[in-house]
Amino acid sequence: MSLINLIDFPSLGDDRGSLVALESHQSIPFDIKRVYYIFGTQKGVSRGFHAHQQLKQVAVCVTGRCRMVLDNGKQREDVWLDSATKGILIEDMVWREMHDFSEDCVLLVLANEHYNELDYIRDYDCFLNYFVGNEK
Ligand code: TYD
């Protein structure tokens, strides 16, 4: 099964332009408790490099693009987020890295929980160790 779970957001376009509406349990498959966005990322900078023990997120580049790498400890896959109508669902216990941000990139992220630093796994070896004797 692919790690890359893309969500196609319907675009409510008319001759004035486009509009995307994101709602809990509609195009976003969870209760949205937090929204944040990453922008102004400096050239050559990569972000992420963590997993969450219990957090689901959907990410979408509303402007520009970046390359999302997902890793479940067995497989590593990447995909370009390059459309305001293309979201990616990131499940819990998935390592993520974001690379190759365009200068104009605004990466919007929706999450099903409030910010909790204790939920983060920021060490890759530690992430892999979570699976030892605890196959998901
Ligand atoms: P960080 O987790 O390093 O961003 P990323 O891994 O996605 O590149 O977050 C940067 C800082 O922002 C860090 O000090 C934690 C803080 N932060 C919040 O306070 N709330 C949030 O919802 C997020 C995502 C980060």
Side-chain angles (χ1 to χ4, degrees), residues 26-81:
Q26 301 216 7
S27 38
I28 306 302
F30 49 71
D31 268 329
I32 301 165
K33 283 204 185 158
R34 177 164 54 107
V35 176
Y36 63 94
Y37 41 96
I38 292 172
F39 61 101
T41 306
Q42 298 296 303
K43 210 174 163 59
V45 167
S46 295
R47 301 195 61 137
F49 300 97
H50 64 257
H52 289 278
Q53 296 172 65
Q54 291 183 26
L55 185 74
K56 293 183 193 305
Q57 296 185 303
V58 169
V60 53
C61 280
V62 292
T63 296
R65 66 180 186 281
C66 71
R67 188 169 58 86
M68 177 72 75
V69 175
L70 297 184
D71 180 333
N72 64 1
K74 288 187 193 137
Q75 299 164 258
R76 176 173 277 246
E77 293 181 30
D78 71 341
V79 64
W80 282 98
L81 298 182

Side-chain angles (χ1 to χ4, degrees), residues 8-119:
D8 212 359
F9 301 136
S11 175
L12 310 171
D14 57 29
D15 52 10
R16 297 170 299 170
S18 304
L19 185 156
V20 169
L22 303 177
E23 294 190 29
S24 296
H25 299 291
Q26 301 216 7
S27 38
I28 306 302
F30 49 71
D31 268 329
I32 301 165
K33 283 204 185 158
R34 177 164 54 107
V35 176
Y36 63 94
Y37 41 96
I38 292 172
F39 61 101
T41 306
Q42 298 296 303
K43 210 174 163 59
V45 167
S46 295
R47 301 195 61 137
F49 300 97
H50 64 257
H52 289 278
Q53 296 172 65
Q54 291 183 26
L55 185 74
K56 293 183 193 305
Q57 296 185 303
V58 169
V60 53
C61 280
V62 292
T63 296
R65 66 180 186 281
C66 71
R67 188 169 58 86
M68 177 72 75
V69 175
L70 297 184
D71 180 333
N72 64 1
K74 288 187 193 137
Q75 299 164 258
R76 176 173 277 246
E77 293 181 30
D78 71 341
V79 64
W80 282 98
L81 298 182
D82 53 6
S83 164
T85 63
K86 189 199 312 185
I88 187 166
L89 174 65
I90 310 172
E91 297 281 0
D92 54 318
M93 291 308 288
V94 173
W95 184 266
R96 86 285 319 272
E97 300 171 7
M98 292 87 81
H99 301 280
D100 304 321
F101 285 85
S102 62
E103 248 178 65
D104 61 344
C105 181
V106 180
L107 178 64
L108 177 75
V109 184
L110 312 172
N112 76 333
E113 281 301 341
H114 297 295
Y115 178 72
N116 175 11
E117 184 58 38
L118 298 178
D119 186 59

